[in-house]
Amino acid sequence: MTRTFAPLAPAGPVDDLKTVVESRAREWHFHIYFLLQSPTETALALALRNAVLKLRRDGAFVAVPLVRVNEHPVGPHPAGSYEIWVPDSSFSDVFFYLAANRGTLSVLVHPLTSSQRADHESRNAWMGTPWPIYLDDLPLSGRTPRQYPELGLGWSSSPSDEVSLAKRRQDGLKVEDLLANDPEAAPAPE
């Protein structure tokens, strides 16, 4: 197996709080893949979709499966698939739920930013076996998509819901203080 890595910027990873906070992803897609030729795998994929819809209704998390289920390859996706949109506030809940309940299905996870190509190519993660995806038609840059703005989540959240940089710094210092005497926790560099 060949491993590929996205190159780091010449200066190394970004560690400026403002830059990191302002450039973070606020919305995500989970693409569930299934073999159309397999009635068992197709049924598992659709049962998982229905469970996500039920759990959303019951308040477990916010996750919006697109109404369309792809019954043939669509866009960059080479198999049967469907998309689940998730705001950052529900990401960990949905990620864990899908990781624990996907069975043998593969799930492509990627952020929604202004670069669909990078989102699918180098900012992605897989649960299960990765599938080859067709990237040629994805734009390198564009507008950051805002899906389901009526929910007021993700890119459509109110600026008043945002945690200020000052509050983030204060919280970070509190964590450092609490961990200062823990021999297992690495301290932040000076």
Side-chain angles (χ1 to χ4, degrees), residues 112-119 123 138-146 155:
L112 294 176
T113 72
S114 61
S115 178
Q116 290 183 44
R117 175 84 179 246
D119 293 346
R123 297 177 184 148
L138 292 176
L140 296 174
S141 64
R143 236 173 88 319
T144 301
R146 283 171 170 69
W155 293 111

Side-chain angles (χ1 to χ4, degrees), residues 67-131:
V67 70
R68 182 186 73 236
V69 174
N70 300 322
E71 297 178 356
H72 53 83
V74 171
H77 310 292
S81 68
Y82 59 87
E83 156 190 311
I84 301 174
W85 172 88
V86 176
D88 55 350
S89 56
S90 286
F91 179 85
S92 64
D93 293 331
V94 174
F95 185 95
F96 182 77
Y97 177 77
L98 292 175
N101 291 280
R102 68 177 180 77
T104 58
L105 299 172
S106 292
V107 180
L108 168 64
V109 183
H110 69 79
L112 294 176
T113 72
S114 61
S115 178
Q116 290 183 44
R117 175 84 179 246
D119 293 346
H120 285 79
E121 183 176 36
S122 59
R123 297 177 184 148
N124 67 15
W126 285 91
M127 289 185 252
T129 303
W131 288 61

Side-chain angles (χ1 to χ4, degrees), residues 170-183:
Q170 179 184 14
D171 291 349
L173 290 173
K174 182 178 178 181
V175 169
E176 288 300 309
D177 287 344
L178 292 169
L179 294 175
N181 295 320
D182 188 324

Side-chain angles (χ1 to χ4, degrees), residues 44-54 65-69 82:
L44 175 62
L46 297 177
L48 181 62
R49 183 177 183 276
N50 285 338
V52 167
L53 287 165
K54 179 183 182 300
L66 193 63
V67 70
R68 182 186 73 236
V69 174
Y82 59 87

